[in-house]
Amino acid sequence: MRSLRRLAHVVLFCPLPKGLQSRLPAIKVKYLFLAWLGILVGSWAVYMHYSSYSELCRGHVCQMVICDHYRRGIISGSSCKAQCEDNTLILQHCMSSTPNHQVYSGVWNEKSVVIKCGIKETGRGDSSPDSMLRREMTLFEKPARGTSMDEFRGMLHNFLKSNLGEQPSIGTLVGHVITLADVNKDGRVSLAEAKSVWALLQVNEFLLMMALHEKEHTPKLLGFCGDLYVTDHLDHSSLYSLVVPNYLQSLVPQALSTSVNRWLAPAWPRRARITIGLLEFVEEVFHGSYGSFFMCDASAHHVGYNNKYDCKMADLRSVVPEMSVQGFLKGRRCETNADCTYGRDCTATCDKLIKQCNTEVVQPNLAKVCRLLRDYLLFGAPHDLRLDLEKQLRTCMTLSGLASQMEVHHSLVLNNLKTLLWKKISNTQYS
């Protein structure tokens, strides 16, 4: 303690060099300017945080709408009672990235969960609770009163067929949806139960969760109420620990956030394990029981993992059925390939003779995922593996061509990459 006090005394009271003393006024002005600049930037960041929070985080509106419809008997669901009567389903931390898709971490019967629901965009000057209730009411217009069970089954079959294509297993999926809708397990689907599951199926992420419900890397559905649904909690909802808010991205250099994320990243063998899981997900959506799906925004923010480093998709909204992408591209006018882009990453070619988009997406999911994983996987990779790994990732990133013509090549590249990683971590604590 005595030595620390002596050091503090020297630092605080020792005489400054004469050259520094002559420059002291300039130094004071410089540091005063930097202090004010720091206060200004900090105040702006706090203001932007809270203004964006109030815009993005409207869970109270979602809860008000859902519980109003539930009490009026319009909707039903396995989590309605917990949310609107028992108060055992509690919204906690806001994780929304857009105002019309509310995402919260929460607790249900003392278990950590993720709660998601949609809010329709409000018109300017018309954001009263009554107007919100009227707008949300349109979600639950179908099926109409008097619809028979056979008619509802036909509605489901036609809807799934139009979104997923003519798949032999559509009937099985219809049965799964009906079983899910029968909340009270009485063998019948009430009008409120039917309205709820129909509204949920209009949400792309929920539709994907139904089509991929048997897959290991899909979020598990725990409950729903109207178009609100509850999934299992992920310890990490992004590949990277540091997620820079949109309003700060122009101030934080990309190199700085990359360096920080490298420092915070799990050990390389654990990153390899997460990567293997993500590659398995790519396999699951390439040609599954209910058709093919495209990853139209291969972002690190959509890929999560649990405390065992098992990959789980944190956000499926940008994973889109092939039928939906082709429907968007069919007959679309274009001048360049950029005009034939669905989402951020699903691009087809433009036929410049007829100025219309072709309907086949050129770059497969695997190439997008390898581009996403390149820096994540190469940083800190074992020296005896790095060259081979870099070569395989480069091959993977250059994959292109119509999916129907490259299935064998796609599978070969994917399996080679998985095998390379698995050999390195198998028979270790990380496997």
Side-chain angles (χ1 to χ4, degrees):
M1 290 298 294
R2 183 177 297 173
S3 60
L4 286 175
R5 284 198 298 269
R6 187 176 300 161
L7 178 63
H9 179 82
V10 170
V11 170
L12 292 174
F13 301 110
C14 69
L16 296 172
K18 290 184 178 180
L20 185 58
Q21 289 179 19
S22 64
R23 294 170 52 201
L24 192 57
I27 291 173
K28 285 183 177 179
V29 171
K30 182 177 73 171
Y31 281 103
L32 185 63
F33 170 75
L34 290 175
W36 276 110
L37 183 62
I39 292 171
L40 182 64
V41 172
S43 302
W44 177 79
V46 170
Y47 169 77
M48 291 297 295
H49 172 76
Y50 282 104
S51 62
S52 63
Y53 186 92
S54 62
E55 179 186 353
L56 291 176
C57 303
R58 297 186 287 168
H60 62 287
V61 175
C62 188
Q63 191 160 11
M64 175 193 69
V65 171
I66 289 294
C67 290
D68 175 80
H69 290 343
Y70 169 65
R71 294 186 184 107
R72 290 161 60 188
I74 296 169
I75 61 173
S76 181
S78 55
S79 69
C80 291
K81 191 171 185 292
Q83 184 178 5
C84 302
E85 294 180 10
D86 301 339
N87 293 321
T88 54
L89 178 59
I90 303 169
L91 279 68
Q92 291 183 329
H93 176 62
C94 176
M95 302 188 296
S96 307
S97 57
T98 58
N100 61 348
H101 185 70
Q102 295 294 292
V103 183
Y104 278 79
S105 63
V107 175
W108 189 2
N109 291 329
E110 301 182 355
K111 178 182 178 181
S112 296
V113 296
V114 175
I115 304 158
K116 302 183 179 184
C117 76
I119 295 180
K120 283 194 173 183
E121 290 293 342
T122 58
R124 291 190 177 183
D126 188 20
S127 57
S128 66
D130 288 342
S131 65
M132 289 177 182
L133 291 172
R134 286 195 299 272
R135 274 189 291 272
E136 295 299 318
M137 186 65 193
T138 59
L139 282 172
F140 307 108
E141 288 180 345
K142 292 182 180 181
R145 185 176 297 278
T147 303
S148 69
M149 194 61 212
D150 287 341
E151 289 172 328
F152 181 56
R153 192 183 294 273
M155 282 176 61
L156 290 175
H157 189 278
N158 291 334
F159 174 81
L160 294 172
K161 179 181 173 182
S162 66
N163 281 274
L164 303 178
E166 185 68 74
Q167 309 295 337
S169 50
I170 287 291
T172 304
L173 186 56
V174 169
H176 174 70
V177 172
I178 288 176
T179 301
L180 179 73
D182 183 14
V183 175
N184 56 10
K185 307 302 178 188
D186 62 354
R188 296 178 297 173
V189 177
S190 68
L191 184 60
E193 291 170 339
K195 284 180 181 292
S196 296
V197 80
W198 182 260
L200 280 168
L201 285 172
Q202 314 310 307
V203 180
N204 182 67
E205 182 173 50
F206 187 85
L207 176 62
L208 265 290
M209 288 172 64
M210 291 296 96
L212 303 172
H213 68 277
E214 297 175 339
K215 306 302 183 183
E216 180 184 355
H217 306 291
T218 303
K220 183 180 178 183
L221 179 70
L222 302 179
F224 66 93
C225 182
D227 67 333
L228 175 148
Y229 54 103
V230 185
T231 67
D232 49 352
H233 170 77
L234 285 178
D235 298 272
H236 305 273
S237 57
S238 173
L239 273 182
Y240 296 110
S241 300
L242 176 66
V243 179
V244 181
N246 291 333
Y247 56 86
L248 287 179
Q249 286 179 359
S250 59
L251 297 177
V252 179
Q254 179 68 33
L256 176 61
S257 61
T258 299
S259 298
V260 172
N261 274 317
R262 284 178 172 179
W263 184 70
L264 295 174
W268 185 87
R270 287 175 172 152
R271 279 180 276 143
R273 180 182 172 89
I274 296 166
T275 297
I276 291 170
L278 182 53
L279 293 174
E280 288 173 349
F281 178 76
V282 171
E283 282 184 296
E284 291 168 356
V285 300
F286 186 51
H287 278 312
S289 304
Y290 303 109
S292 295
F293 301 87
F294 294 133
M295 299 173 71
C296 291
D297 185 359
S299 167
H301 305 319
H302 298 162
V303 183
Y305 56 95
N306 60 21
N307 58 4
K308 296 180 180 178
Y309 301 94
D310 297 320
C311 175
K312 294 277 186 180
M313 297 302 294
D315 190 338
L316 288 171
R317 284 180 297 162
S318 62
V319 181
V320 187
E322 182 179 24
M323 288 284 291
S324 298
V325 177
Q326 290 182 345
F328 171 84
L329 293 171
K330 188 175 182 180
R332 187 175 182 84
R333 296 284 297 171
C334 64
E335 296 291 337
T336 65
N337 291 352
D339 299 326
C340 303
T341 302
Y342 183 100
R344 195 184 74 172
D345 288 335
C346 290
T347 301
T349 55
C350 174
D351 189 330
K352 295 183 180 179
L353 290 177
I354 60 174
K355 295 190 180 299
Q356 283 191 359
C357 295
N358 294 310
T359 57
E360 289 275 4
V361 173
V362 174
Q363 193 176 43
N365 294 331
L366 184 58
K368 304 167 195 173
V369 166
C370 287
R371 187 177 67 237
L372 170 67
L373 290 170
R374 186 181 185 279
D375 186 64
Y376 184 76
L377 205 51
L378 287 178
F379 174 71
H383 292 294
D384 61 334
L385 186 75
R386 185 179 176 87
L387 287 177
D388 200 6
L389 180 59
E390 191 168 10
K391 179 182 176 182
Q392 293 212 25
L393 284 170
R394 195 183 306 116
T395 301
C396 176
M397 290 165 59
T398 57
L399 283 173
S400 64
L402 306 184
S404 56
Q405 300 172 2
M406 58 172 297
E407 185 170 350
V408 175
H409 190 203
H410 178 283
S411 299
L412 182 64
V413 172
L414 191 149
N415 287 327
N416 285 344
L417 188 53
K418 271 179 59 180
T419 302
L420 181 68
L421 296 172
W422 186 247
K423 279 183 178 179
K424 194 65 181 177
I425 66 170
S426 62
N427 300 319
T428 68
Q429 60 176 322
Y430 301 106
S431 63

